[in-house]
Amino acid sequence: MEHIVTVQDAVTAFADFMEPTPAELAAIDAEMPVILADVELLDAQILTLDRTPSEVDARRIRRARRRALAARVALVNRTADQTGGVA
C-alpha cells in the first residue's frame, strides 16, 4: 500500500495555526504601497508588449517607475525611522 503524503499536506495547509500572525499582516500592510506601485509599473509595461511604445506609453512607464521607486524609498525611510536608523 502506498501512502499519499500530499493529501495530508493539503489538509494541514489550511489549518488554523497556519494563519499569518499580526506582525506578518502588519508587514504586508506596510509594503502595500510598494506592491501597488509595482503592479502599476507592470501594467504599464504589459500594455506595450505587443506594440511599439508611443510617447504616451513611454511617459506612463516613466511615471509608474518613478512612483515605484518613490514607494520603495518611503518604505525604507519608514523602516529606518522605526528601527532607529538601521534598515
Side-chain angles (χ1 to χ4, degrees):
M1 181 171 158
E2 294 182 30
H3 296 286
I4 302 174
V5 178
T6 56
V7 173
Q8 180 65 28
D9 291 340
V11 170
T12 58
F14 301 106
D16 291 338
F17 64 88
M18 296 294 288
E19 293 293 321
T21 64
E24 291 171 333
L25 291 174
I28 292 169
D29 192 41
E31 292 178 15
M32 191 55 66
V34 174
I35 295 167
L36 294 175
D38 285 343
V39 168
E40 183 181 342
L41 176 59
L42 284 171
D43 286 343
Q45 291 171 335
I46 288 170
L47 285 174
T48 62
L49 285 178
D50 61 345
R51 64 175 187 224
T52 303
S54 67
E55 181 59 33
V56 174
D57 292 330
R59 278 188 274 161
R60 183 179 297 126
I61 290 172
R62 281 194 307 267
R63 193 169 36 246
R65 188 174 288 128
R66 283 194 305 266
R67 286 184 188 136
L69 289 173
R72 289 178 187 278
V73 167
L75 178 64
V76 168
N77 287 339
R78 276 195 312 268
T79 304
D81 288 344
Q82 292 173 354
T83 59
V86 178

